[in-house]
Amino acid sequence: MGDSRFPSTDSDTDEAALLAAIEAARALRRDDELEASQEQLLALMEEYPDHPLVLFEVGGSYDVMGEEEMAIPYYRRAVEAGLEGRDLHECLICLGSTLRVSGEYEEAVEALERAVDEFPERNSGRVFLALAQYSNGDPELAISTLLSVLLETTADQDILSYADALDYYKDNLDETLDD
């Protein structure tokens, strides 16, 4: 039998109540009530063990509590369960970043490449991808990725005054006068 504080999954009303419960847990997290947020999310997990947003939020709960390795399987399950839209983008970023700090560099690059491929308009994925590329032993690609993001997003006129040179260097990082 499920926790009576949370609805069953039989209707749109139930989905709205689930989303409200998730938002309440997020609010607790924002208020630095991490244990209370996690308790609420784990109770939701009992009632909705395969719901992609619940899986993602449980992963995030472990992540913010410093239990990154506990977060990874929940992030993976959330993606596999069909998480979509902004939540999917955020989950892929969290998964990739957490894999990187856990030393799983190749998997981090894969997750973050997916974030970039599926959400090309969102630059955060590219920045985290650069960190993973660096950790994965590809510092040239990491710098190139960061320079691309910088050149595409900055409004800093001092940097933009060097845009042509920086654009050239992002693809020719090792070039010297001796070349």
Side-chain angles (χ1 to χ4, degrees):
M1 189 78 187
D3 188 323
S4 62
R5 293 178 295 170
F6 305 112
S8 64
T9 58
D10 293 350
S11 72
D12 290 340
T13 303
D14 293 337
E15 184 74 10
L18 171 62
L19 295 176
I22 289 171
E23 186 51 43
R26 287 175 175 170
L28 287 169
R29 188 181 315 158
R30 285 190 299 272
D31 291 340
D32 206 28
E33 299 285 338
L34 303 181
E35 291 83 9
S37 175
Q38 185 176 45
E39 181 180 313
Q40 199 167 1
L41 290 165
L42 290 174
L44 282 172
M45 184 79 188
E46 290 178 22
E47 189 75 20
Y48 301 93
D50 298 316
H51 194 286
L53 191 55
V54 174
L55 291 164
F56 170 46
E57 291 296 332
V58 169
S61 176
Y62 280 114
D63 207 347
V64 299
M65 293 185 71
E67 299 179 48
E68 291 88 351
E69 292 196 9
M70 291 288 293
I72 292 170
Y74 289 101
Y75 290 150
R76 286 184 172 141
R77 285 179 55 203
V79 171
E80 291 168 7
L83 197 62
E84 298 177 328
R86 184 178 190 93
D87 294 318
L88 174 60
H89 178 259
E90 188 176 341
C91 186
L92 289 169
I93 299 277
C94 292
L95 175 60
S97 179
T98 304
L99 286 166
R100 186 186 75 81
V101 299
S102 297
E104 298 178 44
Y105 306 133
E106 287 181 31
E107 289 181 57
V109 167
E110 289 173 15
L112 292 162
E113 284 176 339
R114 179 173 174 189
V116 170
D117 290 346
E118 292 190 27
F119 302 92
E121 72 287 357
R122 309 278 314 267
N123 289 314
S124 57
R126 293 168 62 202
V127 173
F128 280 95
L129 175 58
L131 291 169
Q133 289 166 332
Y134 176 83
S135 295
N136 198 37
D138 202 346
E140 293 86 8
L141 186 56
I143 293 294
S144 179
T145 299
L146 286 176
L147 282 172
S148 293
V149 172
L150 175 67
L151 289 170
E152 292 169 21
T153 62
T154 190
D156 185 306
Q157 290 304 309
D158 185 49
I159 293 171
L160 290 173
S161 69
Y162 296 97
D164 289 342
L166 292 170
D167 187 51
Y168 175 79
Y169 289 136
K170 77 176 172 55
D171 297 320
N172 300 283
L173 288 169
D174 293 325
E175 187 170 305
T176 66
L177 292 176
D178 297 332
D179 289 340

Coordinates of all heavy atoms in Angstrom, one line a residue, residues 3-87:
D3 N 1.9 5.4 0.3 CA 1.8 6.5 1.3 C 0.6 7.4 0.9 O 0.5 7.9 -0.2 CB 3.1 7.3 1.2 CG 3.3 8.3 2.3 OD1 2.2 8.9 2.6 OD2 4.4 8.6 2.7
S4 N -0.3 7.5 1.9 CA -1.5 8.3 1.6 C -1.3 9.7 1.4 O -2.2 10.4 0.9 CB -2.5 8.0 2.8 OG -1.9 8.6 4.0
R5 N -0.1 10.3 1.7 CA 0.2 11.7 1.4 C 0.3 11.9 -0.1 O 0.2 13.1 -0.6 CB 1.5 12.1 2.0 CG 1.5 12.1 3.5 CD 2.8 12.5 4.1 NE 3.8 11.5 3.7 CZ 5.1 11.6 3.8 NH1 5.6 12.7 4.3 NH2 5.9 10.7 3.5
F6 N 0.5 10.9 -0.9 CA 0.7 11.0 -2.3 C -0.4 10.3 -3.1 O -0.8 9.2 -2.7 CB 2.1 10.5 -2.7 CG 3.2 11.2 -1.9 CD1 3.9 10.4 -1.0 CD2 3.4 12.5 -2.0 CE1 4.8 11.0 -0.2 CE2 4.4 13.1 -1.2 CZ 5.1 12.4 -0.3
P7 N -0.8 10.9 -4.2 CA -1.9 10.3 -5.0 C -1.4 9.0 -5.8 O -0.2 8.8 -6.0 CB -2.2 11.4 -6.0 CG -1.0 12.2 -6.1 CD -0.3 12.1 -4.8
S8 N -2.4 8.2 -6.2 CA -2.1 7.2 -7.1 C -2.0 7.7 -8.5 O -2.3 8.9 -8.7 CB -3.2 6.1 -7.0 OG -4.4 6.7 -7.5
T9 N -1.6 6.9 -9.5 CA -1.3 7.4 -10.9 C -2.5 7.2 -11.8 O -2.3 7.0 -13.0 CB -0.1 6.8 -11.4 OG1 -0.3 5.3 -11.4 CG2 1.1 7.1 -10.6
D10 N -3.7 7.3 -11.4 CA -4.9 7.0 -12.2 C -5.4 8.1 -13.1 O -6.3 7.9 -13.9 CB -6.0 6.4 -11.3 CG -5.6 5.1 -10.7 OD1 -4.6 4.5 -11.2 OD2 -6.4 4.6 -9.9
S11 N -5.0 9.4 -12.9 CA -5.6 10.5 -13.7 C -4.7 11.7 -13.8 O -3.7 11.7 -13.2 CB -7.0 10.9 -13.0 OG -6.6 11.6 -11.8
D12 N -5.2 12.6 -14.6 CA -4.5 13.9 -14.8 C -4.4 14.6 -13.5 O -3.4 15.3 -13.2 CB -5.1 14.8 -15.8 CG -5.0 14.2 -17.3 OD1 -4.1 13.4 -17.5 OD2 -5.7 14.6 -18.1
T13 N -5.4 14.5 -12.7 CA -5.4 15.1 -11.3 C -4.3 14.6 -10.5 O -3.6 15.3 -9.8 CB -6.8 14.9 -10.6 OG1 -7.8 15.5 -11.5 CG2 -6.8 15.6 -9.3
D14 N -4.1 13.3 -10.6 CA -3.1 12.6 -9.8 C -1.7 13.1 -10.3 O -0.8 13.3 -9.5 CB -3.1 11.1 -10.0 CG -4.4 10.5 -9.3 OD1 -4.9 11.2 -8.4 OD2 -4.8 9.4 -9.7
E15 N -1.5 13.2 -11.6 CA -0.2 13.7 -12.2 C 0.0 15.2 -11.7 O 1.2 15.5 -11.3 CB -0.3 13.7 -13.7 CG 1.1 14.1 -14.3 CD 2.2 13.1 -14.2 OE1 1.9 11.9 -13.8 OE2 3.3 13.4 -14.6
A16 N -1.0 16.0 -11.6 CA -0.9 17.3 -11.1 C -0.5 17.3 -9.6 O 0.4 18.1 -9.2 CB -2.1 18.1 -11.3
A17 N -1.0 16.4 -8.9 CA -0.7 16.3 -7.5 C 0.8 15.8 -7.3 O 1.5 16.3 -6.4 CB -1.6 15.4 -6.7
L18 N 1.2 14.9 -8.2 CA 2.6 14.4 -8.1 C 3.5 15.6 -8.4 O 4.5 15.8 -7.7 CB 2.8 13.3 -9.1 CG 4.2 12.8 -9.4 CD1 4.8 12.3 -8.1 CD2 4.3 11.8 -10.5
L19 N 3.2 16.3 -9.5 CA 4.1 17.5 -9.8 C 4.1 18.5 -8.7 O 5.2 19.1 -8.4 CB 3.6 18.1 -11.1 CG 3.7 17.2 -12.3 CD1 3.2 17.9 -13.6 CD2 5.2 16.8 -12.6
A20 N 3.0 18.7 -8.0 CA 3.0 19.6 -6.9 C 3.9 19.1 -5.7 O 4.6 19.9 -5.1 CB 1.5 19.8 -6.4
A21 N 3.8 17.8 -5.5 CA 4.7 17.2 -4.4 C 6.1 17.3 -4.8 O 7.0 17.6 -3.9 CB 4.3 15.7 -4.2
I22 N 6.5 17.2 -6.1 CA 7.9 17.3 -6.5 C 8.3 18.8 -6.3 O 9.4 19.0 -5.9 CB 8.0 16.8 -8.0 CG1 7.9 15.3 -8.0 CG2 9.4 17.3 -8.6 CD1 7.9 14.7 -9.4
E23 N 7.4 19.7 -6.7 CA 7.8 21.1 -6.6 C 8.0 21.5 -5.1 O 8.8 22.2 -4.7 CB 6.7 22.0 -7.2 CG 7.1 23.5 -7.2 CD 8.5 23.8 -7.7 OE1 8.9 23.2 -8.7 OE2 9.2 24.6 -7.1
A24 N 7.2 20.9 -4.2 CA 7.3 21.1 -2.8 C 8.7 20.6 -2.3 O 9.4 21.2 -1.5 CB 6.2 20.4 -2.0
A25 N 9.1 19.4 -2.8 CA 10.5 18.9 -2.5 C 11.6 19.8 -3.0 O 12.6 20.0 -2.4 CB 10.6 17.5 -3.0
R26 N 11.4 20.3 -4.2 CA 12.3 21.3 -4.8 C 12.4 22.5 -3.9 O 13.5 23.0 -3.7 CB 11.9 21.6 -6.2 CG 12.1 20.5 -7.2 CD 11.6 21.0 -8.6 NE 11.9 20.0 -9.6 CZ 11.4 20.1 -10.8 NH1 10.5 21.1 -11.2 NH2 11.6 19.1 -11.7
A27 N 11.3 23.0 -3.5 CA 11.3 24.2 -2.6 C 12.1 23.9 -1.3 O 12.8 24.8 -0.9 CB 9.8 24.6 -2.3
L28 N 11.9 22.8 -0.8 CA 12.6 22.4 0.4 C 14.1 22.4 0.1 O 14.9 22.9 0.9 CB 12.2 21.0 1.0 CG 10.8 21.0 1.6 CD1 10.4 19.5 1.9 CD2 10.9 21.7 3.0
R29 N 14.5 21.9 -1.0 CA 15.9 21.8 -1.4 C 16.5 23.3 -1.6 O 17.5 23.6 -1.1 CB 16.1 21.1 -2.7 CG 17.6 20.8 -3.1 CD 17.8 20.1 -4.4 NE 16.9 18.9 -4.5 CZ 16.6 18.4 -5.7 NH1 17.0 18.9 -6.8 NH2 15.8 17.3 -5.7
R30 N 15.7 24.1 -2.2 CA 16.1 25.5 -2.4 C 16.3 26.2 -1.0 O 17.1 27.1 -0.9 CB 15.1 26.3 -3.2 CG 15.2 26.0 -4.7 CD 14.4 27.0 -5.6 NE 12.9 26.9 -5.2 CZ 12.1 26.1 -5.8 NH1 12.5 25.2 -6.7 NH2 10.8 26.1 -5.5
D31 N 15.5 25.8 0.0 CA 15.5 26.4 1.3 C 16.6 25.7 2.2 O 16.6 25.9 3.4 CB 14.2 26.3 2.0 CG 13.2 27.3 1.4 OD1 13.6 28.2 0.7 OD2 11.9 27.0 1.6
D32 N 17.4 24.9 1.5 CA 18.5 24.1 2.2 C 18.0 23.1 3.2 O 18.6 22.8 4.2 CB 19.5 25.1 2.8 CG 20.9 24.5 3.0 OD1 21.2 23.6 2.2 OD2 21.6 24.9 3.9
E33 N 16.8 22.7 3.0 CA 16.2 21.6 3.8 C 16.4 20.3 3.1 O 15.4 19.6 2.7 CB 14.7 21.9 4.1 CG 14.4 23.2 4.8 CD 14.7 23.1 6.3 OE1 14.7 22.0 6.8 OE2 14.9 24.1 6.9
L34 N 17.6 19.9 3.0 CA 18.0 18.8 2.1 C 17.5 17.4 2.6 O 17.0 16.6 1.8 CB 19.5 18.7 1.9 CG 20.2 20.0 1.4 CD1 21.7 19.7 1.3 CD2 19.6 20.4 0.1
E35 N 17.5 17.2 3.9 CA 17.0 15.9 4.4 C 15.5 15.8 4.3 O 15.0 14.7 3.9 CB 17.4 15.8 5.9 CG 18.9 15.5 6.1 CD 19.7 16.8 6.2 OE1 19.1 18.0 6.2 OE2 21.0 16.8 6.1
A36 N 14.8 16.9 4.5 CA 13.3 16.9 4.4 C 13.0 16.7 2.9 O 12.0 15.9 2.6 CB 12.7 18.2 4.9
S37 N 13.7 17.3 2.0 CA 13.4 17.1 0.6 C 13.6 15.7 0.2 O 12.8 15.1 -0.5 CB 14.3 18.1 -0.2 OG 14.2 17.9 -1.6
Q38 N 14.8 15.1 0.6 CA 15.1 13.8 0.3 C 14.0 12.8 0.8 O 13.6 11.9 0.2 CB 16.5 13.4 0.7 CG 16.8 12.0 0.2 CD 18.3 11.6 0.5 OE1 18.7 11.8 1.7 NE2 19.0 11.0 -0.4
E39 N 13.6 13.0 2.1 CA 12.6 12.2 2.7 C 11.3 12.2 1.9 O 10.7 11.1 1.6 CB 12.3 12.6 4.1 CG 11.3 11.8 4.8 CD 11.1 12.3 6.2 OE1 12.1 12.6 7.0 OE2 9.9 12.5 6.6
Q40 N 10.9 13.4 1.4 CA 9.7 13.5 0.6 C 9.9 12.8 -0.7 O 9.0 12.1 -1.2 CB 9.4 15.0 0.4 CG 8.0 15.2 0.0 CD 7.6 16.7 0.1 OE1 8.4 17.5 0.5 NE2 6.4 17.0 -0.2
L41 N 11.0 12.9 -1.3 CA 11.3 12.3 -2.6 C 11.3 10.8 -2.5 O 10.8 10.1 -3.4 CB 12.5 12.9 -3.3 CG 12.4 14.3 -3.7 CD1 13.8 14.9 -4.0 CD2 11.5 14.4 -5.0
L42 N 12.0 10.3 -1.5 CA 12.0 8.8 -1.3 C 10.7 8.2 -1.1 O 10.4 7.1 -1.5 CB 13.0 8.5 -0.2 CG 14.5 8.7 -0.6 CD1 15.4 8.5 0.7 CD2 15.0 7.9 -1.7
A43 N 9.8 9.0 -0.4 CA 8.4 8.5 -0.2 C 7.7 8.5 -1.5 O 6.9 7.6 -1.8 CB 7.7 9.4 0.8
L44 N 7.9 9.5 -2.4 CA 7.3 9.5 -3.7 C 7.9 8.3 -4.5 O 7.1 7.7 -5.3 CB 7.7 10.8 -4.5 CG 6.8 12.0 -4.1 CD1 7.4 13.3 -4.8 CD2 5.4 11.8 -4.5
M45 N 9.1 8.0 -4.3 CA 9.7 6.9 -5.1 C 9.0 5.6 -4.8 O 8.9 4.7 -5.6 CB 11.2 6.8 -4.7 CG 12.0 5.8 -5.4 SD 12.4 6.5 -7.0 CE 13.1 5.0 -7.7
E46 N 8.6 5.4 -3.5 CA 7.9 4.2 -3.2 C 6.6 4.1 -4.0 O 6.2 3.0 -4.4 CB 7.6 4.2 -1.7 CG 8.8 4.0 -0.8 CD 8.5 4.0 0.7 OE1 7.3 3.7 1.1 OE2 9.4 4.3 1.4
E47 N 5.9 5.2 -4.2 CA 4.6 5.2 -4.9 C 4.8 5.2 -6.4 O 4.0 4.7 -7.1 CB 3.8 6.4 -4.4 CG 2.4 6.5 -4.9 CD 1.5 5.5 -4.1 OE1 1.8 5.1 -3.0 OE2 0.4 5.2 -4.7
Y48 N 5.9 5.8 -6.9 CA 6.1 6.0 -8.3 C 7.5 5.6 -8.6 O 8.4 6.4 -9.0 CB 6.0 7.5 -8.7 CG 4.6 8.1 -8.4 CD1 4.4 8.7 -7.2 CD2 3.6 8.0 -9.3 CE1 3.1 9.3 -6.9 CE2 2.3 8.5 -9.1 CZ 2.1 9.2 -7.8 OH 0.9 9.7 -7.6
P49 N 7.8 4.3 -8.5 CA 9.2 3.8 -8.7 C 9.8 4.0 -10.1 O 11.0 4.0 -10.3 CB 9.2 2.4 -8.3 CG 7.7 2.0 -8.5 CD 6.9 3.2 -8.2
D50 N 9.0 4.1 -11.1 CA 9.4 4.2 -12.5 C 9.1 5.6 -13.2 O 9.3 5.7 -14.4 CB 8.8 3.1 -13.3 CG 9.2 1.7 -12.8 OD1 10.4 1.6 -12.5 OD2 8.4 0.9 -12.7
H51 N 8.7 6.6 -12.4 CA 8.3 7.9 -13.0 C 9.6 8.6 -13.2 O 10.4 8.8 -12.3 CB 7.4 8.6 -12.0 CG 6.8 9.8 -12.6 ND1 7.4 11.0 -12.9 CD2 5.5 10.0 -13.1 CE1 6.6 11.8 -13.5 NE2 5.4 11.2 -13.6
P52 N 9.8 9.0 -14.5 CA 11.1 9.7 -14.8 C 11.5 10.9 -14.0 O 12.6 11.1 -13.6 CB 11.0 10.0 -16.3 CG 9.6 9.8 -16.7 CD 8.9 8.9 -15.6
L53 N 10.5 11.7 -13.7 CA 10.8 13.0 -13.0 C 11.1 12.6 -11.5 O 12.0 13.3 -10.9 CB 9.6 13.9 -13.1 CG 9.9 15.3 -12.5 CD1 11.1 16.0 -13.2 CD2 8.7 16.2 -12.7
V54 N 10.4 11.6 -10.9 CA 10.7 11.2 -9.6 C 12.1 10.7 -9.5 O 12.9 11.0 -8.6 CB 9.7 10.2 -9.0 CG1 10.1 9.7 -7.7 CG2 8.3 10.8 -9.0
L55 N 12.5 9.8 -10.5 CA 13.8 9.3 -10.5 C 14.9 10.4 -10.6 O 15.9 10.3 -9.9 CB 14.0 8.3 -11.7 CG 13.2 7.0 -11.6 CD1 13.1 6.4 -13.0 CD2 13.8 6.1 -10.6
F56 N 14.6 11.3 -11.5 CA 15.6 12.5 -11.7 C 15.7 13.2 -10.3 O 16.8 13.6 -9.9 CB 15.1 13.4 -12.8 CG 15.8 14.7 -12.9 CD1 17.2 14.7 -12.8 CD2 15.1 15.9 -13.1 CE1 17.9 15.9 -12.9 CE2 15.8 17.1 -13.2 CZ 17.2 17.1 -13.1
E57 N 14.6 13.5 -9.7 CA 14.7 14.3 -8.5 C 15.3 13.5 -7.3 O 16.1 14.1 -6.5 CB 13.3 14.8 -8.1 CG 12.7 15.8 -9.0 CD 13.5 17.1 -9.0 OE1 14.1 17.5 -8.1 OE2 13.4 17.8 -10.1
V58 N 15.1 12.2 -7.3 CA 15.8 11.4 -6.2 C 17.3 11.5 -6.5 O 18.1 11.7 -5.6 CB 15.3 10.0 -6.2 CG1 16.2 9.1 -5.3 CG2 13.8 10.0 -5.7
G59 N 17.7 11.3 -7.8 CA 19.1 11.5 -8.1 C 19.7 12.8 -7.7 O 20.8 12.9 -7.1
G60 N 19.0 13.9 -8.0 CA 19.4 15.2 -7.6 C 19.5 15.4 -6.1 O 20.4 16.1 -5.6
S61 N 18.6 14.7 -5.4 CA 18.6 14.8 -3.9 C 19.9 14.2 -3.4 O 20.6 14.7 -2.5 CB 17.4 14.0 -3.4 OG 17.5 14.0 -2.0
Y62 N 20.3 13.0 -3.9 CA 21.5 12.4 -3.5 C 22.7 13.3 -3.9 O 23.7 13.4 -3.1 CB 21.7 11.0 -4.1 CG 20.9 9.9 -3.4 CD1 19.9 9.3 -4.0 CD2 21.3 9.5 -2.1 CE1 19.1 8.3 -3.3 CE2 20.6 8.6 -1.4 CZ 19.5 7.9 -2.0 OH 18.8 7.0 -1.4
D63 N 22.7 13.8 -5.1 CA 23.8 14.7 -5.6 C 24.0 15.8 -4.7 O 25.2 16.1 -4.3 CB 23.4 15.1 -7.0 CG 24.6 15.4 -7.9 OD1 25.7 15.5 -7.4 OD2 24.4 15.5 -9.1
V64 N 23.0 16.6 -4.3 CA 23.2 17.8 -3.5 C 23.6 17.5 -2.1 O 24.1 18.3 -1.4 CB 22.0 18.7 -3.5 CG1 21.7 19.2 -4.9 CG2 20.8 18.1 -2.9
M65 N 23.3 16.2 -1.7 CA 23.7 15.8 -0.3 C 25.1 15.2 -0.3 O 25.6 14.7 0.7 CB 22.7 14.8 0.2 CG 21.4 15.5 0.5 SD 20.2 14.4 1.3 CE 20.9 14.3 2.9
G66 N 25.8 15.3 -1.5 CA 27.2 14.9 -1.5 C 27.4 13.4 -1.7 O 28.5 12.8 -1.6
E67 N 26.3 12.7 -2.1 CA 26.3 11.3 -2.4 C 26.2 11.1 -3.9 O 25.3 10.4 -4.4 CB 25.2 10.6 -1.6 CG 25.3 10.8 -0.1 CD 24.2 10.1 0.6 OE1 23.9 8.9 0.3 OE2 23.6 10.7 1.5
E68 N 27.2 11.6 -4.6 CA 27.1 11.6 -6.1 C 27.0 10.2 -6.7 O 26.3 10.0 -7.7 CB 28.4 12.3 -6.7 CG 28.4 13.8 -6.4 CD 29.1 14.2 -5.1 OE1 29.4 13.3 -4.2 OE2 29.3 15.4 -4.8
E69 N 27.8 9.3 -6.2 CA 27.7 7.9 -6.8 C 26.3 7.3 -6.6 O 25.9 6.5 -7.4 CB 28.8 7.1 -6.2 CG 30.2 7.6 -6.7 CD 31.3 6.6 -6.6 OE1 31.1 5.5 -6.3 OE2 32.4 7.1 -6.9
M70 N 25.6 7.7 -5.6 CA 24.2 7.2 -5.4 C 23.3 7.8 -6.4 O 22.3 7.2 -6.8 CB 23.7 7.5 -4.0 CG 24.4 6.7 -2.9 SD 23.9 5.0 -2.8 CE 22.2 5.1 -2.4
A71 N 23.6 9.0 -6.9 CA 22.8 9.8 -7.8 C 22.8 9.2 -9.2 O 21.8 9.2 -9.9 CB 23.2 11.2 -7.9
I72 N 24.0 8.7 -9.6 CA 24.2 8.2 -11.0 C 23.1 7.2 -11.5 O 22.5 7.4 -12.6 CB 25.6 7.7 -11.2 CG1 26.6 8.9 -11.1 CG2 25.8 7.0 -12.5 CD1 28.1 8.4 -11.0
P73 N 22.8 6.1 -10.7 CA 21.8 5.2 -11.3 C 20.4 5.8 -11.4 O 19.7 5.5 -12.3 CB 21.8 4.1 -10.2 CG 22.9 4.3 -9.3 CD 23.4 5.7 -9.5
Y74 N 20.1 6.7 -10.5 CA 18.8 7.4 -10.7 C 18.7 8.3 -11.9 O 17.7 8.3 -12.6 CB 18.4 8.2 -9.4 CG 18.1 7.3 -8.2 CD1 19.1 7.1 -7.3 CD2 16.9 6.7 -8.1 CE1 18.8 6.2 -6.2 CE2 16.6 5.8 -7.0 CZ 17.6 5.6 -6.1 OH 17.3 4.8 -5.0
Y75 N 19.8 9.0 -12.2 CA 19.9 9.8 -13.4 C 19.7 9.0 -14.6 O 19.0 9.3 -15.5 CB 21.2 10.6 -13.4 CG 21.3 11.7 -12.5 CD1 22.6 12.1 -12.0 CD2 20.3 12.5 -12.0 CE1 22.8 13.1 -11.1 CE2 20.4 13.5 -11.1 CZ 21.7 13.9 -10.7 OH 21.9 14.9 -9.8
R76 N 20.5 7.9 -14.6 CA 20.4 6.9 -15.8 C 19.0 6.4 -16.0 O 18.5 6.3 -17.1 CB 21.4 5.8 -15.6 CG 22.8 6.2 -15.8 CD 23.8 5.0 -15.7 NE 25.1 5.4 -16.1 CZ 26.2 5.0 -15.6 NH1 26.1 4.1 -14.6 NH2 27.4 5.3 -16.0
R77 N 18.4 6.0 -14.9 CA 17.0 5.4 -15.0 C 16.0 6.5 -15.4 O 15.1 6.1 -16.2 CB 16.6 4.8 -13.6 CG 17.3 3.5 -13.3 CD 16.9 2.9 -12.0 NE 15.4 2.8 -11.8 CZ 14.8 2.7 -10.6 NH1 15.5 2.8 -9.5 NH2 13.5 2.6 -10.6
A78 N 16.2 7.7 -15.0 CA 15.3 8.8 -15.4 C 15.4 9.0 -16.9 O 14.3 9.1 -17.6 CB 15.6 10.1 -14.7
V79 N 16.6 9.0 -17.5 CA 16.7 9.1 -18.9 C 16.1 7.9 -19.6 O 15.3 8.1 -20.6 CB 18.2 9.2 -19.3 CG1 18.4 9.2 -20.8 CG2 18.8 10.5 -18.7
E80 N 16.4 6.7 -19.1 CA 15.8 5.5 -19.8 C 14.3 5.5 -19.7 O 13.6 4.9 -20.5 CB 16.4 4.3 -19.1 CG 17.9 4.1 -19.4 CD 18.5 3.0 -18.5 OE1 17.8 2.3 -17.8 OE2 19.8 2.9 -18.6
A81 N 13.7 6.1 -18.6 CA 12.3 6.0 -18.4 C 11.5 7.0 -19.2 O 10.3 7.1 -19.2 CB 12.0 6.2 -16.9
G82 N 12.3 7.9 -20.0 CA 11.6 8.8 -20.9 C 11.5 10.2 -20.4 O 10.6 11.0 -20.9
L83 N 12.4 10.7 -19.6 CA 12.4 12.1 -19.2 C 12.5 12.9 -20.4 O 13.2 12.6 -21.4 CB 13.6 12.3 -18.2 CG 13.6 13.6 -17.4 CD1 12.4 13.6 -16.4 CD2 14.9 13.7 -16.6
E84 N 11.9 14.1 -20.4 CA 11.8 14.9 -21.6 C 12.1 16.4 -21.3 O 12.1 16.8 -20.1 CB 10.4 14.8 -22.2 CG 10.0 13.5 -22.6 CD 8.5 13.4 -23.2 OE1 7.7 14.2 -22.7 OE2 8.3 12.6 -24.1
G85 N 12.3 17.1 -22.4 CA 12.4 18.6 -22.3 C 13.5 19.1 -21.4 O 14.6 18.5 -21.3
R86 N 13.1 20.2 -20.8 CA 14.1 20.9 -19.9 C 14.6 19.9 -18.8 O 15.8 20.0 -18.4 CB 13.4 22.1 -19.3 CG 14.4 23.0 -18.4 CD 13.6 24.2 -17.9 NE 14.5 25.1 -17.3 CZ 15.1 26.1 -17.9 NH1 14.8 26.3 -19.2 NH2 16.0 26.9 -17.3
D87 N 13.8 19.1 -18.3 CA 14.2 18.1 -17.2 C 15.2 17.2 -17.8 O 16.2 16.8 -17.1 CB 13.0 17.4 -16.6 CG 12.1 18.3 -15.9 OD1 12.6 19.2 -15.1 OD2 10.9 18.2 -16.0

